[in-house]
Amino acid sequence: MIENEYSKITPEIQSLADLSSRHFAIDPSLYSRYDVKRGLRDVNGKGVLVGLTEISEVCATKRDGDQIIPADGELYYRGYNVKDIIAGIPPESHFGFEESAFLLIFGKLPTQEELKTFTSQLSHYRTLPTSFVRDIIMKAPSQDMMNTLARSVLTLYSYDNKADDISIPNVLRQCMQMISLFPLLSVYGYQAYRHYHDGDSLFIHKPLPELSTAETILHILRPDSKYTPLEARLLDIALILHMEHGGGNNSTFTTHLVSSSGTDTYSVIAASIGSLKGPKHGGANIKVVKMVEDIKAHLTDWTDEDAMRTYLKAILNKEAFDRAGLIYGMGHAVYSLSDPRARIFRTYVERLAIEKGFQEEYALYSLIERLAPQVIADERKIYKGVSPNVDFFSGFVYRMLDLPLELYTPIFAIARIAGWSAHRLEEISYNGKIMRPAYMSVSSRREYLPVDKRTPEL
């Protein structure tokens, strides 16, 4: 991309940045001395307890007598195991996401009539304001769809006569509208960027009222609007697995944090989108796909275990791929023995691989899945087990679904808006205090000098 004047870093700015960087180096030993929980986690990855929730539970341990020991991970939505929720969805249904969204927001599984009313209301809200696509989405399309999504959410504030009303009924209305609109905002944003920057044909398909969220994504994304039942089901399952993950994950904690200030729903959700955009959070599955592509480019025999082990070791030692020293898709802040979302996903991935002709790549992913934890355990000091997380498989699924890389993280947001909505409603219902954690200053006191007596730093 050609650098324009707006984005140019001048020599003066570079010099000031160098000066600034010299004052941002805190001695790492101070964190241990003052028992600071960096990342709000202890050395074992356990988060600092800052709140209570009834929405979901992330379990990675079990009690054995007086001891707490690692266990296969489990994920619960309102007390229901997510694997049971997915298993209970009729094979022909693609509305599992909607049923789970109802559960998260209202605290109970819907009856048939309640689910019909809920999906009908979501369908009713799946309409953007007049000229919004032309005046907002088509204007200055961004290369990053998460920024496009955040901008669109903030712009919706201007169309809402009750934007600052944080009463429960009004916030519920706003949340349901965003659950409905996120697929349109994301996919239309991608279509606009692809058209104006890549010169591709522009497709703006209108949503159909009878389609589920998963079906709507495929319908408005693909030029011919066609998809198979298995494709829709896999995307529906992906949305369920990504829609909620406890109150402590970065973007959901952002939802609680910003909601506690009393601000409007649009500002809260835009902040959460900004958090999810980060490659350490929602953007991780993109890194997995790029890493696997790099492995494919460097290994001629994808079944050679010795060569694979050697290359994974090179990635871990910052000698290959992006030289960050990370095998993406491996490990999790909470889970140790296994990520339940990855386990559930894996049972469906092979079926899709067979349908789409990706058996060789499925075998490659399976080999990385088996060898990477061994390599990490051999090369690094770890405090808990390492296993594949949901990002390891989700990027592969999206690739098989022929979804563009630019939409991987927005699809995460399309799912997670349901969880954010439930947590926002919970925060404004039960918590009256603004969140304000403490930071300890470790700077020394200095005497103020008039400008004519100051000397430049070397």
Short mmCIF file of all heavy atoms in Angstrom, two decimals, residues 317-360:
data_model
loop_
_atom_site.label_atom_id
_atom_site.label_comp_id
_atom_site.label_asym_id
_atom_site.label_seq_id
_atom_site.Cartn_x
_atom_site.Cartn_y
_atom_site.Cartn_z
N ASN A 317 11.21 -21.08 18.31
CA ASN A 317 12.48 -20.40 18.65
C ASN A 317 12.70 -19.13 17.82
O ASN A 317 13.84 -18.65 17.71
CB ASN A 317 13.65 -21.37 18.44
CG ASN A 317 13.65 -22.49 19.47
OD1 ASN A 317 13.19 -22.30 20.59
ND2 ASN A 317 14.15 -23.65 19.10
N LYS A 318 11.62 -18.61 17.22
CA LYS A 318 11.66 -17.35 16.49
C LYS A 318 12.58 -17.41 15.27
O LYS A 318 13.17 -16.41 14.86
CB LYS A 318 12.08 -16.19 17.40
CG LYS A 318 11.19 -15.98 18.60
CD LYS A 318 11.63 -14.79 19.43
CE LYS A 318 10.72 -14.61 20.64
NZ LYS A 318 11.11 -13.43 21.46
N GLU A 319 12.68 -18.58 14.67
CA GLU A 319 13.53 -18.76 13.50
C GLU A 319 12.70 -18.95 12.22
O GLU A 319 13.28 -19.03 11.13
CB GLU A 319 14.44 -19.98 13.69
CG GLU A 319 15.38 -19.86 14.88
CD GLU A 319 16.04 -21.18 15.24
OE1 GLU A 319 15.69 -22.22 14.63
OE2 GLU A 319 16.88 -21.18 16.16
N ALA A 320 11.39 -19.03 12.35
CA ALA A 320 10.54 -19.26 11.19
C ALA A 320 9.21 -18.55 11.35
O ALA A 320 8.89 -18.03 12.43
CB ALA A 320 10.31 -20.77 11.00
N PHE A 321 8.43 -18.54 10.28
CA PHE A 321 7.14 -17.87 10.16
C PHE A 321 7.28 -16.38 10.52
O PHE A 321 8.09 -15.69 9.92
CB PHE A 321 6.07 -18.58 11.00
CG PHE A 321 4.69 -17.99 10.82
CD1 PHE A 321 4.23 -17.64 9.56
CD2 PHE A 321 3.85 -17.79 11.90
CE1 PHE A 321 2.97 -17.08 9.38
CE2 PHE A 321 2.59 -17.23 11.73
CZ PHE A 321 2.15 -16.88 10.48
N ASP A 322 6.52 -15.87 11.52
CA ASP A 322 6.58 -14.44 11.82
C ASP A 322 7.61 -14.09 12.88
O ASP A 322 7.73 -12.95 13.29
CB ASP A 322 5.20 -13.94 12.26
CG ASP A 322 4.70 -14.61 13.54
OD1 ASP A 322 5.40 -15.50 14.06
OD2 ASP A 322 3.61 -14.24 14.01
N ARG A 323 8.36 -15.12 13.32
CA ARG A 323 9.43 -14.95 14.31
C ARG A 323 8.94 -14.32 15.62
O ARG A 323 9.65 -13.57 16.27
CB ARG A 323 10.58 -14.14 13.71
CG ARG A 323 11.35 -14.96 12.68
CD ARG A 323 12.35 -14.15 11.88
NE ARG A 323 13.22 -15.03 11.11
CZ ARG A 323 12.86 -15.68 10.02
NH1 ARG A 323 11.62 -15.56 9.57
NH2 ARG A 323 13.71 -16.48 9.38
N ALA A 324 7.70 -14.64 15.97
CA ALA A 324 7.15 -14.18 17.25
C ALA A 324 7.36 -15.22 18.35
O ALA A 324 7.12 -14.94 19.52
CB ALA A 324 5.67 -13.87 17.11
N GLY A 325 7.77 -16.43 17.96
CA GLY A 325 7.99 -17.47 18.95
C GLY A 325 6.73 -18.15 19.43
O GLY A 325 6.72 -18.72 20.53
N LEU A 326 5.67 -18.10 18.63
CA LEU A 326 4.39 -18.68 19.03
C LEU A 326 3.91 -19.69 17.99
O LEU A 326 3.97 -19.42 16.78
CB LEU A 326 3.33 -17.59 19.18
CG LEU A 326 3.57 -16.53 20.26
CD1 LEU A 326 2.53 -15.43 20.14
CD2 LEU A 326 3.54 -17.16 21.65
N ILE A 327 3.47 -20.85 18.46
CA ILE A 327 2.76 -21.79 17.59
C ILE A 327 1.28 -21.48 17.78
O ILE A 327 0.68 -21.85 18.80
CB ILE A 327 3.08 -23.25 17.95
CG1 ILE A 327 4.58 -23.52 17.78
CG2 ILE A 327 2.27 -24.21 17.07
CD1 ILE A 327 4.99 -24.94 18.16
N TYR A 328 0.72 -20.78 16.84
CA TYR A 328 -0.64 -20.26 17.00
C TYR A 328 -1.66 -21.40 17.02
O TYR A 328 -1.52 -22.40 16.34
CB TYR A 328 -0.96 -19.28 15.87
CG TYR A 328 -0.12 -18.03 15.96
CD1 TYR A 328 1.03 -17.89 15.18
CD2 TYR A 328 -0.44 -17.01 16.83
CE1 TYR A 328 1.82 -16.74 15.25
CE2 TYR A 328 0.34 -15.86 16.92
CZ TYR A 328 1.47 -15.74 16.14
OH TYR A 328 2.25 -14.62 16.22
N GLY A 329 -2.70 -21.18 17.83
CA GLY A 329 -3.74 -22.18 17.98
C GLY A 329 -3.45 -23.19 19.07
O GLY A 329 -4.25 -24.10 19.31
N MET A 330 -2.31 -23.03 19.74
CA MET A 330 -1.94 -23.94 20.82
C MET A 330 -1.92 -23.21 22.16
O MET A 330 -1.34 -22.14 22.28
CB MET A 330 -0.54 -24.53 20.57
CG MET A 330 -0.49 -25.46 19.39
SD MET A 330 -1.44 -26.97 19.69
CE MET A 330 -2.03 -27.31 18.02
N GLY A 331 -2.58 -23.80 23.14
CA GLY A 331 -2.59 -23.23 24.47
C GLY A 331 -3.73 -22.24 24.66
O GLY A 331 -4.32 -21.72 23.71
N HIS A 332 -4.07 -22.02 25.92
CA HIS A 332 -5.15 -21.11 26.26
C HIS A 332 -4.90 -20.55 27.65
O HIS A 332 -4.27 -21.20 28.49
CB HIS A 332 -6.50 -21.84 26.22
CG HIS A 332 -7.68 -20.91 26.31
ND1 HIS A 332 -8.22 -20.54 27.51
CD2 HIS A 332 -8.40 -20.27 25.35
CE1 HIS A 332 -9.24 -19.72 27.29
NE2 HIS A 332 -9.36 -19.54 25.98
N ALA A 333 -5.39 -19.34 27.89
CA ALA A 333 -5.18 -18.70 29.18
C ALA A 333 -5.81 -19.47 30.33
O ALA A 333 -5.32 -19.42 31.46
CB ALA A 333 -5.75 -17.27 29.14
N VAL A 334 -6.89 -20.20 30.05
CA VAL A 334 -7.61 -20.92 31.10
C VAL A 334 -7.45 -22.43 30.97
O VAL A 334 -7.08 -23.12 31.91
CB VAL A 334 -9.11 -20.55 31.10
CG1 VAL A 334 -9.86 -21.36 32.15
CG2 VAL A 334 -9.29 -19.05 31.33
N TYR A 335 -7.73 -22.96 29.78
CA TYR A 335 -7.72 -24.41 29.59
C TYR A 335 -6.29 -24.96 29.60
O TYR A 335 -5.34 -24.28 29.22
CB TYR A 335 -8.38 -24.77 28.27
CG TYR A 335 -9.83 -24.36 28.16
CD1 TYR A 335 -10.26 -23.50 27.16
CD2 TYR A 335 -10.76 -24.81 29.09
CE1 TYR A 335 -11.58 -23.11 27.06
CE2 TYR A 335 -12.09 -24.43 29.00
CZ TYR A 335 -12.49 -23.58 27.99
OH TYR A 335 -13.80 -23.19 27.90
N SER A 336 -6.17 -26.21 30.03
CA SER A 336 -4.86 -26.86 30.05
C SER A 336 -4.92 -28.17 29.27
O SER A 336 -4.27 -28.33 28.24
CB SER A 336 -4.39 -27.11 31.48
OG SER A 336 -5.37 -27.83 32.23
N LEU A 337 -5.70 -29.14 29.75
CA LEU A 337 -5.74 -30.45 29.09
C LEU A 337 -6.46 -30.39 27.75
O LEU A 337 -6.06 -31.06 26.79
CB LEU A 337 -6.41 -31.48 30.01
CG LEU A 337 -5.72 -31.76 31.35
CD1 LEU A 337 -6.42 -32.92 32.05
CD2 LEU A 337 -4.24 -32.06 31.15
N SER A 338 -7.52 -29.60 27.66
CA SER A 338 -8.24 -29.49 26.38
C SER A 338 -9.20 -28.32 26.42
O SER A 338 -9.69 -27.92 27.48
CB SER A 338 -9.02 -30.78 26.09
OG SER A 338 -10.05 -30.97 27.04
N ASP A 339 -9.44 -27.76 25.24
CA ASP A 339 -10.43 -26.71 25.05
C ASP A 339 -11.70 -27.41 24.55
O ASP A 339 -11.68 -28.03 23.48
CB ASP A 339 -9.91 -25.71 24.01
CG ASP A 339 -10.87 -24.54 23.74
OD1 ASP A 339 -12.07 -24.68 24.02
OD2 ASP A 339 -10.40 -23.51 23.24
N PRO A 340 -12.80 -27.32 25.29
CA PRO A 340 -14.01 -28.05 24.88
C PRO A 340 -14.52 -27.61 23.53
O PRO A 340 -15.10 -28.41 22.78
CB PRO A 340 -15.01 -27.73 25.99
CG PRO A 340 -14.52 -26.44 26.58
CD PRO A 340 -13.03 -26.52 26.50
N ARG A 341 -14.34 -26.34 23.19
CA ARG A 341 -14.80 -25.84 21.89
C ARG A 341 -14.02 -26.50 20.75
O ARG A 341 -14.59 -26.85 19.72
CB ARG A 341 -14.64 -24.32 21.84
CG ARG A 341 -15.41 -23.59 22.95
CD ARG A 341 -14.97 -22.15 23.08
NE ARG A 341 -13.55 -22.06 23.39
CZ ARG A 341 -12.85 -20.92 23.38
NH1 ARG A 341 -13.46 -19.78 23.08
NH2 ARG A 341 -11.58 -20.91 23.69
N ALA A 342 -12.72 -26.69 20.97
CA ALA A 342 -11.91 -27.38 19.96
C ALA A 342 -12.33 -28.84 19.83
O ALA A 342 -12.37 -29.39 18.72
CB ALA A 342 -10.43 -27.28 20.33
N ARG A 343 -12.62 -29.49 20.97
CA ARG A 343 -13.05 -30.89 20.92
C ARG A 343 -14.35 -31.03 20.12
O ARG A 343 -14.50 -31.94 19.30
CB ARG A 343 -13.26 -31.44 22.33
CG ARG A 343 -12.00 -31.59 23.16
CD ARG A 343 -12.17 -32.61 24.28
NE ARG A 343 -13.44 -32.51 24.98
CZ ARG A 343 -13.65 -31.77 26.07
NH1 ARG A 343 -12.66 -31.04 26.57
NH2 ARG A 343 -14.82 -31.77 26.66
N ILE A 344 -15.29 -30.14 20.38
CA ILE A 344 -16.58 -30.20 19.68
C ILE A 344 -16.38 -29.93 18.20
O ILE A 344 -16.91 -30.64 17.34
CB ILE A 344 -17.57 -29.19 20.30
CG1 ILE A 344 -17.91 -29.58 21.73
CG2 ILE A 344 -18.83 -29.10 19.45
CD1 ILE A 344 -18.65 -28.51 22.51
N PHE A 345 -15.62 -28.89 17.89
CA PHE A 345 -15.37 -28.52 16.50
C PHE A 345 -14.76 -29.68 15.73
O PHE A 345 -15.13 -29.96 14.58
CB PHE A 345 -14.41 -27.33 16.46
CG PHE A 345 -14.92 -26.17 15.64
CD1 PHE A 345 -14.42 -24.91 15.84
CD2 PHE A 345 -15.90 -26.34 14.67
CE1 PHE A 345 -14.87 -23.83 15.10
CE2 PHE A 345 -16.36 -25.27 13.92
CZ PHE A 345 -15.84 -24.02 14.14
N ARG A 346 -13.82 -30.35 16.37
CA ARG A 346 -13.05 -31.39 15.68
C ARG A 346 -13.96 -32.51 15.18
O ARG A 346 -13.71 -33.11 14.14
CB ARG A 346 -11.99 -31.96 16.62
CG ARG A 346 -10.86 -32.67 15.90
CD ARG A 346 -9.91 -33.34 16.88
NE ARG A 346 -8.67 -33.74 16.25
CZ ARG A 346 -8.53 -34.71 15.37
NH1 ARG A 346 -9.59 -35.41 15.00
NH2 ARG A 346 -7.35 -35.01 14.85
N THR A 347 -15.05 -32.79 15.90
CA THR A 347 -15.94 -33.88 15.51
C THR A 347 -16.66 -33.58 14.19
O THR A 347 -17.14 -34.49 13.52
CB THR A 347 -16.98 -34.16 16.60
OG1 THR A 347 -17.80 -33.00 16.79
CG2 THR A 347 -16.31 -34.51 17.92
N TYR A 348 -16.75 -32.29 13.84
CA TYR A 348 -17.44 -31.92 12.61
C TYR A 348 -16.49 -31.58 11.47
O TYR A 348 -16.88 -31.61 10.30
CB TYR A 348 -18.35 -30.70 12.87
CG TYR A 348 -19.49 -30.98 13.81
CD1 TYR A 348 -19.36 -30.76 15.17
CD2 TYR A 348 -20.71 -31.47 13.34
CE1 TYR A 348 -20.40 -31.00 16.05
CE2 TYR A 348 -21.76 -31.72 14.21
CZ TYR A 348 -21.60 -31.49 15.56
OH TYR A 348 -22.64 -31.74 16.42
N VAL A 349 -15.25 -31.22 11.82
CA VAL A 349 -14.31 -30.74 10.82
C VAL A 349 -14.03 -31.80 9.76
O VAL A 349 -13.98 -31.49 8.56
CB VAL A 349 -12.99 -30.29 11.49
CG1 VAL A 349 -11.91 -30.05 10.44
CG2 VAL A 349 -13.22 -29.01 12.29
N GLU A 350 -13.84 -33.05 10.18
CA GLU A 350 -13.51 -34.10 9.22
C GLU A 350 -14.63 -34.29 8.19
O GLU A 350 -14.36 -34.50 7.01
CB GLU A 350 -13.22 -35.42 9.94
CG GLU A 350 -12.71 -36.51 9.01
CD GLU A 350 -12.28 -37.77 9.74
OE1 GLU A 350 -12.57 -37.88 10.96
OE2 GLU A 350 -11.65 -38.63 9.10
N ARG A 351 -15.88 -34.20 8.65
CA ARG A 351 -17.00 -34.35 7.72
C ARG A 351 -16.97 -33.26 6.64
O ARG A 351 -17.18 -33.53 5.46
CB ARG A 351 -18.33 -34.27 8.49
CG ARG A 351 -18.62 -35.49 9.35
CD ARG A 351 -19.85 -35.26 10.21
NE ARG A 351 -21.01 -34.86 9.40
CZ ARG A 351 -22.11 -34.33 9.92
NH1 ARG A 351 -22.19 -34.13 11.23
NH2 ARG A 351 -23.11 -34.01 9.14
N LEU A 352 -16.70 -32.03 7.07
CA LEU A 352 -16.64 -30.94 6.11
C LEU A 352 -15.44 -31.10 5.18
O LEU A 352 -15.53 -30.80 3.98
CB LEU A 352 -16.58 -29.59 6.83
CG LEU A 352 -16.66 -28.35 5.93
CD1 LEU A 352 -18.01 -28.31 5.21
CD2 LEU A 352 -16.48 -27.07 6.74
N ALA A 353 -14.31 -31.57 5.73
CA ALA A 353 -13.11 -31.77 4.91
C ALA A 353 -13.37 -32.78 3.80
O ALA A 353 -12.91 -32.61 2.66
CB ALA A 353 -11.95 -32.23 5.79
N ILE A 354 -14.12 -33.83 4.11
CA ILE A 354 -14.46 -34.85 3.11
C ILE A 354 -15.37 -34.25 2.05
O ILE A 354 -15.18 -34.44 0.84
CB ILE A 354 -15.11 -36.08 3.77
CG1 ILE A 354 -14.07 -36.80 4.66
CG2 ILE A 354 -15.68 -37.02 2.73
CD1 ILE A 354 -14.67 -37.89 5.52
N GLU A 355 -16.39 -33.50 2.50
CA GLU A 355 -17.33 -32.90 1.55
C GLU A 355 -16.65 -31.90 0.62
O GLU A 355 -16.97 -31.82 -0.57
CB GLU A 355 -18.48 -32.19 2.30
CG GLU A 355 -19.47 -31.51 1.36
CD GLU A 355 -20.62 -30.82 2.09
OE1 GLU A 355 -21.48 -31.52 2.65
OE2 GLU A 355 -20.64 -29.57 2.08
N LYS A 356 -15.69 -31.14 1.15
CA LYS A 356 -15.06 -30.07 0.38
C LYS A 356 -13.73 -30.50 -0.27
O LYS A 356 -13.10 -29.70 -0.96
CB LYS A 356 -14.81 -28.85 1.28
CG LYS A 356 -16.05 -28.37 2.02
CD LYS A 356 -17.05 -27.70 1.10
CE LYS A 356 -16.60 -26.33 0.68
NZ LYS A 356 -17.62 -25.61 -0.08
N GLY A 357 -13.28 -31.74 -0.04
CA GLY A 357 -12.05 -32.21 -0.65
C GLY A 357 -10.78 -31.69 0.01
O GLY A 357 -9.77 -31.46 -0.66
N PHE A 358 -10.80 -31.56 1.33
CA PHE A 358 -9.65 -31.04 2.07
C PHE A 358 -9.02 -32.11 2.96
O PHE A 358 -8.49 -31.80 4.02
CB PHE A 358 -10.07 -29.84 2.93
CG PHE A 358 -10.18 -28.54 2.19
CD1 PHE A 358 -11.32 -28.25 1.45
CD2 PHE A 358 -9.17 -27.61 2.24
CE1 PHE A 358 -11.44 -27.05 0.76
CE2 PHE A 358 -9.27 -26.41 1.55
CZ PHE A 358 -10.42 -26.12 0.81
N GLN A 359 -9.08 -33.37 2.54
CA GLN A 359 -8.59 -34.45 3.41
C GLN A 359 -7.09 -34.31 3.72
O GLN A 359 -6.67 -34.57 4.85
CB GLN A 359 -8.85 -35.81 2.76
CG GLN A 359 -10.32 -36.20 2.68
CD GLN A 359 -10.92 -35.85 1.32
OE1 GLN A 359 -10.61 -34.81 0.75
NE2 GLN A 359 -11.76 -36.73 0.80
N GLU A 360 -6.29 -33.91 2.73
CA GLU A 360 -4.85 -33.79 2.96
C GLU A 360 -4.55 -32.68 3.97
O GLU A 360 -3.69 -32.84 4.85
CB GLU A 360 -4.12 -33.51 1.65
CG GLU A 360 -4.05 -34.72 0.72
CD GLU A 360 -3.16 -34.46 -0.48
OE1 GLU A 360 -2.55 -33.37 -0.54
OE2 GLU A 360 -3.08 -35.35 -1.36
#
